Amino acid sequence: MSTSANEPPRVRTVVTRSPEETQALARALLRELPPGAVLALHGELGSGKTCFTQGLALALDITQAVTSPTFTIVNEYAGTRGLCHVDLYRIREPDEALNIGLEEYLADEERLKVIEWAEFAGDIIPAEAVHVYFEVGAEPETRTITI
Protein backbone atom coordinates (compact mmCIF):
# COMPACT_ATOMS: atom_id res chain seq x y z
CA MET A 1 0.00 0.00 0.00
CA SER A 2 2.72 2.47 -0.81
CA THR A 3 2.50 5.55 -2.97
CA SER A 4 4.38 8.80 -2.96
CA ALA A 5 3.06 11.40 -0.52
CA ASN A 6 2.40 13.59 -3.58
CA GLU A 7 0.18 11.02 -5.30
CA PRO A 8 -3.33 10.15 -4.20
CA PRO A 9 -3.77 6.62 -2.81
CA ARG A 10 -4.75 4.16 -5.52
CA VAL A 11 -8.30 2.82 -5.66
CA ARG A 12 -8.67 -0.44 -3.79
CA THR A 13 -11.21 -2.42 -1.83
CA VAL A 14 -10.37 -4.12 1.46
CA VAL A 15 -12.53 -6.38 3.62
CA THR A 16 -11.87 -6.03 7.34
CA ARG A 17 -13.16 -8.53 9.87
CA SER A 18 -12.76 -6.60 13.11
CA PRO A 19 -12.50 -3.05 14.44
CA GLU A 20 -8.76 -3.66 14.89
CA GLU A 21 -8.38 -4.50 11.19
CA THR A 22 -10.36 -1.38 10.23
CA GLN A 23 -8.07 0.72 12.42
CA ALA A 24 -4.97 -0.97 10.96
CA LEU A 25 -6.17 -0.08 7.46
CA ALA A 26 -6.53 3.55 8.54
CA ARG A 27 -3.01 3.56 9.99
CA ALA A 28 -1.63 2.14 6.74
CA LEU A 29 -3.50 4.74 4.66
CA LEU A 30 -2.16 7.56 6.82
CA ARG A 31 1.38 6.74 5.68
CA GLU A 32 0.28 7.60 2.12
CA LEU A 33 -1.25 10.97 2.94
CA PRO A 34 0.43 14.37 2.86
CA PRO A 35 -0.02 16.87 5.68
CA GLY A 36 -3.34 18.67 5.37
CA ALA A 37 -5.03 15.81 3.53
CA VAL A 38 -8.81 15.56 3.46
CA LEU A 39 -10.55 12.22 3.89
CA ALA A 40 -14.20 12.18 2.85
CA LEU A 41 -15.94 9.24 4.54
CA HIS A 42 -19.17 7.74 3.20
CA GLY A 43 -21.35 4.97 4.62
CA GLU A 44 -24.40 4.16 6.67
CA LEU A 45 -24.62 4.53 10.43
CA GLY A 46 -22.48 1.91 12.12
CA SER A 47 -20.47 1.10 9.01
CA GLY A 48 -17.06 1.86 10.53
CA LYS A 49 -16.37 5.53 9.79
CA THR A 50 -15.61 6.51 13.39
CA CYS A 51 -13.67 3.29 14.00
CA PHE A 52 -11.52 4.15 10.98
CA THR A 53 -10.96 7.65 12.36
CA GLN A 54 -9.90 6.13 15.68
CA GLY A 55 -7.22 4.19 13.79
CA LEU A 56 -5.97 7.42 12.25
CA ALA A 57 -5.88 9.03 15.71
CA LEU A 58 -3.87 6.12 17.12
CA ALA A 59 -1.34 6.53 14.31
CA LEU A 60 -1.10 10.24 15.11
CA ASP A 61 -0.37 9.49 18.80
CA ILE A 62 -3.61 11.14 19.89
CA THR A 63 -4.34 10.04 23.44
CA GLN A 64 -7.84 11.51 23.78
CA ALA A 65 -10.84 9.26 23.19
CA VAL A 66 -12.07 9.80 19.64
CA THR A 67 -15.84 9.73 19.29
CA SER A 68 -18.14 10.80 16.52
CA PRO A 69 -18.89 14.53 16.75
CA THR A 70 -22.51 14.04 15.65
CA PHE A 71 -23.84 16.72 18.00
CA THR A 72 -20.78 18.96 18.29
CA ILE A 73 -20.16 18.61 14.52
CA VAL A 74 -16.38 19.19 14.86
CA ASN A 75 -13.79 17.70 17.23
CA GLU A 76 -10.17 18.79 17.11
CA TYR A 77 -7.28 16.68 18.40
CA ALA A 78 -3.57 17.30 18.88
CA GLY A 79 -1.00 14.60 18.16
CA THR A 80 2.10 14.23 16.00
CA ARG A 81 -0.08 15.91 13.40
CA GLY A 82 -3.39 17.57 14.25
CA LEU A 83 -6.69 15.92 13.42
CA CYS A 84 -9.94 17.69 12.64
CA HIS A 85 -12.87 15.25 12.79
CA VAL A 86 -16.10 16.57 11.25
CA ASP A 87 -19.47 14.81 11.23
CA LEU A 88 -22.02 16.30 8.84
CA TYR A 89 -24.82 13.86 9.69
CA ARG A 90 -26.97 16.70 11.06
CA ILE A 91 -26.13 18.98 8.12
CA ARG A 92 -28.42 18.64 5.11
CA GLU A 93 -27.24 21.43 2.82
CA PRO A 94 -23.80 22.67 1.78
CA ASP A 95 -24.70 26.17 3.05
CA GLU A 96 -25.02 24.74 6.55
CA ALA A 97 -21.50 23.29 6.22
CA LEU A 98 -20.26 26.76 5.29
CA ASN A 99 -21.96 28.20 8.37
CA ILE A 100 -19.95 25.92 10.68
CA GLY A 101 -16.70 27.12 9.07
CA LEU A 102 -15.91 23.99 7.07
CA GLU A 103 -13.99 25.99 4.45
CA GLU A 104 -11.64 27.33 7.14
CA TYR A 105 -10.95 23.82 8.41
CA LEU A 106 -10.30 22.62 4.87
CA ALA A 107 -7.82 25.45 4.29
CA ASP A 108 -5.59 24.19 7.13
CA GLU A 109 -2.54 22.78 5.37
CA GLU A 110 -1.14 20.88 8.36
CA ARG A 111 -3.97 19.03 10.11
CA LEU A 112 -5.55 15.90 8.73
CA LYS A 113 -9.25 16.50 8.04
CA VAL A 114 -11.69 13.59 8.32
CA ILE A 115 -15.26 14.33 7.24
CA GLU A 116 -17.99 11.81 7.97
CA TRP A 117 -21.10 12.10 5.79
CA ALA A 118 -19.04 14.18 3.34
CA GLU A 119 -21.76 13.96 0.71
CA PHE A 120 -23.71 16.59 2.67
CA ALA A 121 -20.98 19.17 1.96
CA GLY A 122 -21.50 19.05 -1.80
CA ASP A 123 -18.84 20.86 -3.81
CA ILE A 124 -17.13 22.21 -0.68
CA ILE A 125 -15.11 18.99 -0.46
CA PRO A 126 -11.90 19.61 -2.43
CA ALA A 127 -11.29 17.65 -5.63
CA GLU A 128 -8.10 16.15 -4.19
CA ALA A 129 -9.90 14.65 -1.18
CA VAL A 130 -9.52 10.91 -0.68
CA HIS A 131 -12.96 9.30 -0.61
CA VAL A 132 -13.44 6.24 1.58
CA TYR A 133 -16.64 4.18 1.27
CA PHE A 134 -17.82 1.81 4.02
CA GLU A 135 -20.28 -1.06 3.71
CA VAL A 136 -21.42 -3.43 6.45
CA GLY A 137 -20.76 -7.04 5.55
CA ALA A 138 -22.87 -10.14 6.09
CA GLU A 139 -21.11 -10.90 9.38
CA PRO A 140 -21.44 -8.38 12.23
CA GLU A 141 -17.79 -7.24 12.34
CA THR A 142 -17.10 -7.41 8.59
CA ARG A 143 -16.73 -4.21 6.60
CA THR A 144 -15.98 -3.64 2.93
CA ILE A 145 -13.95 -0.46 2.58
CA THR A 146 -13.20 1.12 -0.78
CA ILE A 147 -10.55 3.82 -0.95
Side-chain angles (χ1 to χ4, degrees):
M1 223 198 297
S2 66
T3 62
S4 161
N6 294 328
E7 298 175 31
R10 60 181 162 55
V11 174
R12 62 200 176 268
T13 299
V14 177
V15 175
T16 63
R17 291 176 169 61
S18 68
E20 294 78 18
E21 286 185 15
T22 298
Q23 291 175 353
L25 176 62
R27 289 192 305 271
L29 177 62
L30 182 65
R31 291 190 290 269
E32 300 178 28
L33 299 175
V38 176
L39 290 173
L41 309 186
H42 308 271
E44 295 301 315
L45 286 170
S47 62
K49 298 180 300 292
T50 299
C51 181
F52 187 85
T53 304
Q54 290 166 339
L56 295 168
L58 288 170
L60 293 169
D61 296 322
I62 292 170
T63 57
Q64 292 172 268
V66 173
T67 59
S68 183
T70 301
F71 295 101
T72 59
I73 302 180
V74 179
N75 286 339
E76 298 179 52
Y77 303 96
T80 52
R81 184 172 10 158
L83 171 65
C84 177
H85 184 195
V86 180
D87 186 328
L88 299 179
Y89 181 73
R90 296 170 46 102
I91 303 292
R92 295 296 173 206
E93 309 236 346
D95 284 345
E96 292 179 66
L98 290 173
N99 291 338
I100 65 160
L102 185 59
E103 282 184 318
E104 288 80 17
Y105 286 110
L106 293 173
D108 185 327
E109 295 181 5
E110 295 301 317
R111 284 189 292 183
L112 178 66
K113 280 80 66 183
V114 177
I115 305 170
E116 295 190 33
W117 302 95
E119 57 273 16
F120 295 138
D123 293 338
I124 298 169
I125 301 297
E128 67 274 7
V130 175
H131 291 264
V132 184
Y133 298 88
F134 297 81
E135 294 179 48
V136 176
E139 297 177 25
E141 300 288 318
T142 302
R143 301 292 183 265
T144 300
I145 302 168
T146 302
I147 301 167

